[in-house]
Amino acid sequence: DALVWRGGVIRQARLLGAVEAGRLSLKQGRAVLPGGADFALTGALSARAGLPVFEGQLEANSDNMRGLLDWAGLDLRQVPLGRLRRFDAQSGLTLRLPWAETPAAITLAGLDLRFDVSRLRGGVAIELRRRLAFGLGLSLDRLDLDAYLPPGAALGLPAGGLPALDLFDANLQLVIGALTYRGLPAGGVKFD
């Protein structure tokens, strides 16, 4: 009926699965997370090239994205209260479990995420090795940065630079159809 984790209540948790012909099928994995986020996962765990791999489909939605992110430990005090309200997400999920010398890996393919008035599509691949590696290929239809920043805030590099860039390897491709920052609109923004 209810689980308490990280100070929040997870309700209506349900797992329904079966073991069939060397595969562990997850027919239904569902829970309501803090912030009213309805989370669902289906798929199967099997061996691929001698490695344990889960392949499935992930769906989530919430009318209180801020509550969910707050429960996850993100500090959102600088984001105006009218933002990060609703989200809907669907994605294919592949999870390679760590085995022998092979690190864990997570892939989100066909990601379709709607939050507030924006829509993000694409894919993410993360390899959880000693030096984290990830790839992002994302397209965002529109983003009004002014709506998410405190009044008068400006984007910029921290005083000490970006030492965190030494901690991981990454390939990034990001396209934004319409971007607004400090009242100035820009279209067709691309980062590669």
Side-chain angles (χ1 to χ4, degrees):
D1 290 332
L3 300 167
V4 177
W5 186 44
R6 296 180 53 96
V9 178
I10 300 170
R11 296 177 286 114
Q12 301 171 16
R14 180 179 174 94
L15 287 175
L16 177 61
V19 176
E20 306 164 314
R23 280 174 47 125
L24 173 62
S25 296
L26 178 60
K27 297 178 189 252
Q28 182 184 59
R30 178 168 232 106
V32 178
L33 304 177
D38 189 8
F39 175 85
L41 178 66
T42 58
L45 177 66
S46 60
R48 186 168 48 171
L51 298 172
V53 176
F54 176 85
E55 293 180 284
Q57 188 69 26
L58 172 67
E59 294 182 27
N61 63 68
S62 176
D63 289 330
N64 183 6
M65 182 179 183
R66 181 180 289 274
L68 177 66
L69 295 174
D70 183 52
W71 173 71
L74 297 177
D75 182 1
L76 302 173
R77 289 177 290 183
Q78 297 296 318
V79 179
L81 289 176
R83 295 297 165 177
L84 300 177
R85 286 292 174 208
R86 178 162 180 71
F87 83 93
D88 291 289
Q90 301 86 37
S91 181
L93 170 68
T94 302
L95 173 60
R96 184 184 69 212
L97 302 176
W99 192 262
E101 299 297 316
T102 305
I106 302 166
T107 303
L108 298 174
L111 174 65
D112 189 352
L113 170 67
R114 295 173 189 257
F115 65 96
D116 294 335
V117 297
S118 300
R119 185 173 189 183
L120 181 71
R121 295 184 193 180
V124 177
I126 303 169
E127 191 162 288
L128 302 173
R129 56 187 193 190
R130 195 169 279 198
R131 182 176 171 91
L132 180 69
F134 64 91
L136 303 173
L138 299 170
S139 175
L140 184 60
D141 64 348
R142 63 180 167 253
L143 179 62
D144 181 358
L145 276 177
D146 297 334
Y148 292 90
L149 296 172
L155 295 178
L157 292 177
L162 296 172
L165 292 178
D166 287 333
L167 302 176
F168 60 87
D169 296 319
N171 289 313
L172 309 170
Q173 291 182 331
L174 177 62
V175 176
I176 304 174
L179 176 67
T180 303
Y181 176 60
R182 292 193 147 186
L184 298 174
V189 177
K190 295 180 182 178
F191 177 79
D192 193 345

